[in-house]
Amino acid sequence: MTSEFCILSGDCPGAGTIVRRIGGDGASVGRHGSVTIPHESVSRCHAVIERREEGWLLSDCGSRNGTFVNGISVARHFLSDGDEVGFGKVVLTFREEAGDPDSPDCEGPDFSEADGDGATLAANPATLAVAGADMRGALGTLRACAARRWRTLEDALKTVAENIAGMRGVAFAEIALLHPLSGEAVPAFAAAGNKNVPYAPAARREMARRAASAGSPVFWRGAEAGAVPRAGCDCAGFPLKLRGAPAGSVLAGSAAAFDTAALDNIESAAEGLEIFLGIFANAAESATGGRTCAHAGAAPVMVGRSESFQFAARMAARAAKSDATVLLFGESGTGKELFARLVYDESSRRGKCFVAVHSSAIEPTLMGSALFGHEKGAFTGAVERKKGLFEEADGGTIFLDEIGELSQEMQVKLLRVLQEGEFMRVGGTETIHVDVRVICATNRNLAEAVREGRFREDLYYRLNVIQIPLPPLRERRDDIPDLARHFAESIGGRKRGVSDAAVRVLAARRWPGNIRELRNAIERALVLSDNDILEPGDFDFAEKAAAAPETSAPATQTASVPDSGETLREVERRHIAAVMERCGGNKRTAAEKLGISRSTLYEKLKELDVGIPDAGVPGNGTSGG
């Protein structure tokens, strides 16, 4: 909702104080405008202020000395309360009468007290304070969202795109959000500063995708694909992240080369928009008790380009369009819950409850109460009526992980819910009806369990409407480099990298724990290493130590594998002890030869109870270990 009128006020050199009220029909500003500014730096018709649905739009009329908002040269810009607007050398303050925040027309999350990641939005006065950055001009729209309460995130994105495109020298601006399943950069809003928009739509989509996945700004000039320096570029892409994960990008192009000031302003706008996405997501989750998977238009990205993974992603996208039961099956650690959340996020039930239930984590005797609730006095300790998770998920989605662990009794009750949409609480007589979409997951072979009589055949067929197989990591090795770099950039709040040599080491492993194991390995390396780029030595893999004992043989010679029946632990212990002895007990040297960090070596020495040989001679350097 926009205000009925606004005010321009301030001092005009040689003409005293100016206070001009502008009504809903807008006004022209200039030496001969309806808002008269009698100064030689102001053109006859300098600019126009008009009311739009999105707010008050300031448009330059080709003035000789330019129009500025908070020091930034603009061709057009949506103004916000408190903006300093420059017409030539005359700077006036823009004030607007805010709409009624309690109006039924103003819906959506309340940002007045939301905060996160170094940013705070305050409704009165409407300011956006961001630590370490001066974003006043480029982010006027974001400052105002607290006072006006944007009805939707889309409203804000659209206006931000238009404000960037309205900066002097910007030919177009485009905000793209990553599709949650395909990982493609989907244009959300685009705005053109003039008709000569450089780069075709297909090229811009690829630029937006590259900028989103790069983790740092990418610059182009003409046909050069992102290989040019910041200076002299004619297109720039700035990544957007949501909670550390890639969420999209802001792309801006110029008909000529950008100057440094324009790029700084666009980058500031992208940083502010990233903060706004986080605030919006937090506000949306708070409104639903944190039970929904609300991602403010940008769900977590599924990283993977392998054919098997893309097949699963396409199946999930199709399944999301219906309310049919989905059965996800795959080994532990293949990302079944993430796929379930993304099916939910793409469905018509998005915004309603998403309830995740891990069947093996609930005591079998308590499963009935957990899923269906209980009445007061139903059993010892039932001191009051309790709703079950199916009631909590009414209208939304419930995810039943490890469905193969359910008892025969629970299988019967679940079958009735799936067929009839009804159940009774434990100890109750009232039939309760619910509308719940069910997504299940298992790492077991349910067909085999049916043959062995451990799983009901009728329930199996009721669950097995849409089957989505999730491939193990060893069958999608091409995805390991992307996954490793994604985890290194998104875990811990400090952006890190992974060297090519380390990627080769990671790709050579079997990963029995799949993506979960890979993520844990990356996280452990990030915690224990001080390197900005993770190297092979930052990863502690017993197989590597056992398979590559120190030898004087040529590097191309295959190491012999002991056939004495020793366990892997014994082989590892013997190898580490031998290296420690050759290094005279110096842990620093031994760690370097083993290709692991010293902290990892300390843990191995303690875990395997490896004795440290006596260095013998003081001052031989062993104290450094």
Side-chain angles (χ1 to χ4, degrees):
M1 173 181 290
T2 60
S3 59
E4 291 299 323
F5 68 91
C6 63
I7 295 174
L8 279 176
S9 63
D11 293 329
C12 176
T17 300
I18 293 177
V19 179
R20 295 290 186 271
R21 183 182 188 274
I22 301 173
D25 294 333
S28 61
V29 181
R31 292 204 318 273
H32 292 178
S34 55
V35 175
T36 304
I37 304 179
H39 193 270
E40 65 275 8
S41 67
V42 180
S43 299
R44 293 167 58 88
C45 182
H46 196 103
V48 172
I49 296 177
E50 54 188 331
R51 194 178 67 173
R52 297 283 183 86
E53 183 178 353
E54 300 92 334
W56 290 93
L57 178 64
L58 169 71
S59 301
D60 183 80
C61 297
S63 62
R64 182 177 70 255
N65 294 313
T67 302
F68 303 83
V69 176
N70 299 316
I72 296 174
S73 177
V74 301
R76 65 180 191 274
H77 190 91
F78 280 98
L79 295 170
S80 301
D81 189 66
D83 277 343
E84 294 180 351
V85 185
F87 305 96
K89 295 181 180 180
V90 179
V91 178
L92 304 179
T93 300
F94 174 84
R95 297 288 181 188
E96 71 171 325
E97 287 295 304
D100 180 2
D102 297 322
S103 167
D105 292 333
C106 292
E107 300 175 353
D110 182 359
F111 298 100
S112 60
E113 297 181 359
D115 61 68
D117 298 333
T120 301
L121 281 171
N124 190 14
T127 59
L128 175 63
V130 183
D134 179 11
M135 304 177 184
R136 295 180 305 157
L139 300 182
T141 297
L142 301 186
R143 292 208 316 272
C145 69
R148 281 209 295 262
R149 298 187 188 179
W150 294 103
R151 297 178 185 176
T152 65
L153 174 65
E154 287 72 19
D155 290 341
L157 293 179
K158 178 182 178 182
T159 309
V160 172
E162 290 180 345
N163 275 355
I164 294 175
M167 294 180 189
R168 185 76 69 177
V170 177
F172 79 92
E174 187 169 286
I175 299 175
L177 300 176
L178 291 181
H179 190 279
L181 295 176
S182 68
E184 293 299 314
V186 180
F189 291 98
N194 58 50
K195 296 181 180 179
N196 300 316
V197 177
Y199 299 101
R204 296 204 302 272
R205 284 195 296 271
E206 176 57 26
M207 289 172 167
R209 185 202 66 78
R210 179 166 180 177
S213 59
S216 58
V218 183
F219 306 102
W220 293 267
R221 180 173 59 236
E224 297 180 59
V228 303
R230 183 184 183 104
C233 70
D234 61 15
C235 188
F238 299 96
L240 297 173
K241 289 195 173 186
L242 180 60
R243 295 166 185 164
S249 62
V250 173
L251 197 68
S254 172
F258 274 119
D259 60 31
T260 302
L263 288 175
D264 289 343
N265 292 330
I266 298 167
E267 185 170 18
S268 294
E271 291 172 355
L273 182 58
E274 184 175 89
I275 293 169
F276 180 67
L277 288 175
I279 294 172
F280 190 97
N282 291 340
E285 289 189 354
S286 297
T288 55
R291 292 192 300 269
T292 62
C293 183
H295 301 299
V301 179
M302 301 290 283
V303 179
R305 292 177 286 181
S306 62
E307 184 176 346
S308 57
F309 176 83
Q310 286 298 317
F311 173 78
R314 289 193 297 271
M315 289 285 290
R318 294 191 185 106
K321 305 308 177 185
S322 75
D323 269 351
T325 304
V326 175
L327 178 62
L328 302 163
F329 64 94
E331 298 176 9
S332 294
T334 50
K336 293 187 286 292
E337 181 169 350
L338 185 56
F339 260 88
R341 286 184 176 272
L342 288 171
V343 170
Y344 155 81
D345 203 69
E346 286 288 286
S347 73
S348 60
R349 294 175 184 258
R350 179 184 183 182
K352 306 289 181 62
C353 251
F354 178 93
V355 177
V357 183
H358 299 275
S359 303
S360 62
I362 301 176
E363 193 70 31
T365 56
L366 300 177
M367 182 62 76
S369 173
L371 292 180
F372 308 116
H374 61 252
E375 296 290 345
K376 180 179 179 180
F379 49 83
T380 302
V383 295
E384 60 182 2
R385 172 185 286 183
K386 174 183 175 295
K387 284 186 176 183
L389 295 175
F390 267 94
E391 277 185 88
E392 293 285 348
D394 190 19
T397 302
I398 192 167
F399 170 57
L400 301 175
D401 196 8
E402 301 183 33
I403 192 70
E405 305 297 329
L406 288 183
S407 66
Q408 291 283 339
E409 179 186 2
M410 284 298 101
Q411 291 177 33
V412 173
K413 292 184 177 182
L414 178 59
L415 179 63
R416 180 168 180 79
V417 176
L418 291 173
Q419 290 180 336
E420 308 296 337
E422 62 183 33
F423 60 89
M424 289 189 291
R425 298 191 187 102
V426 176
T429 57
E430 176 190 358
T431 299
I432 299 170
H433 295 270
V434 291
D435 172 24
V436 179
R437 201 261 178 90
V438 177
I439 303 174
C440 298
T442 182
N443 58 8
R444 295 176 177 269
N445 187 328
L446 291 187
E448 184 178 325
V450 169
R451 289 193 296 271
E452 295 174 356
R454 293 182 287 107
F455 201 84
R456 291 182 62 93
E457 184 175 19
D458 48 2
L459 177 58
Y460 171 69
Y461 289 121
R462 188 65 184 79
L463 293 175
N464 196 28
V465 179
I466 300 177
Q467 248 191 46
I468 302 179
L470 303 186
L473 191 54
R474 61 181 174 275
E475 293 180 6
R476 40 181 297 212
R477 293 190 181 279
D478 291 347
D479 294 336
I480 291 177
D482 290 339
L483 286 165
R485 293 186 174 107
H486 167 69
F487 292 140
E489 289 182 357
S490 60
I491 295 175
R494 174 186 167 193
K495 191 184 299 181
R496 315 275 277 277
V498 185
S499 71
D500 292 341
V503 166
R504 287 193 293 271
V505 170
L506 295 173
R509 285 178 55 80
R510 283 186 55 80
W511 299 110
N514 294 296
I515 300 172
R516 184 184 296 120
E517 183 187 2
L518 173 62
R519 188 188 191 284
N520 291 344
I522 297 291
E523 185 171 13
R524 186 176 189 276
L526 292 172
V527 171
L528 298 179
S529 173
D530 293 327
N531 298 329
D532 289 331
I533 304 295
L534 297 180
E535 299 291 348
D538 293 318
F539 297 94
D540 173 34
F541 300 131
E543 292 88 342
K544 180 181 67 173
E550 216 173 61
T551 175
S552 58
T556 56
Q557 181 177 326
T558 303
S560 60
V561 180
D563 57 0
S564 60
E566 288 181 297
T567 66
L568 181 60
R569 177 186 175 88
E570 291 166 342
V571 172
E572 185 180 13
R573 183 183 186 281
R574 181 164 53 80
H575 177 58
I576 292 177
V579 173
M580 285 292 295
E581 184 174 358
R582 280 194 293 274
C583 295
N586 189 308
K587 300 186 187 70
R588 180 184 289 110
T589 304
E592 291 175 356
K593 289 186 176 294
L594 289 166
I596 59 178
S597 64
R598 277 202 293 165
S599 59
T600 299
L601 178 59
Y602 291 146
E603 294 179 6
K604 286 294 182 183
L605 294 174
K606 182 178 180 181
E607 175 189 348
L608 301 173
D609 193 25
V610 178
I612 301 176
D614 186 3
V617 181
N620 69 347
T622 58
S623 62

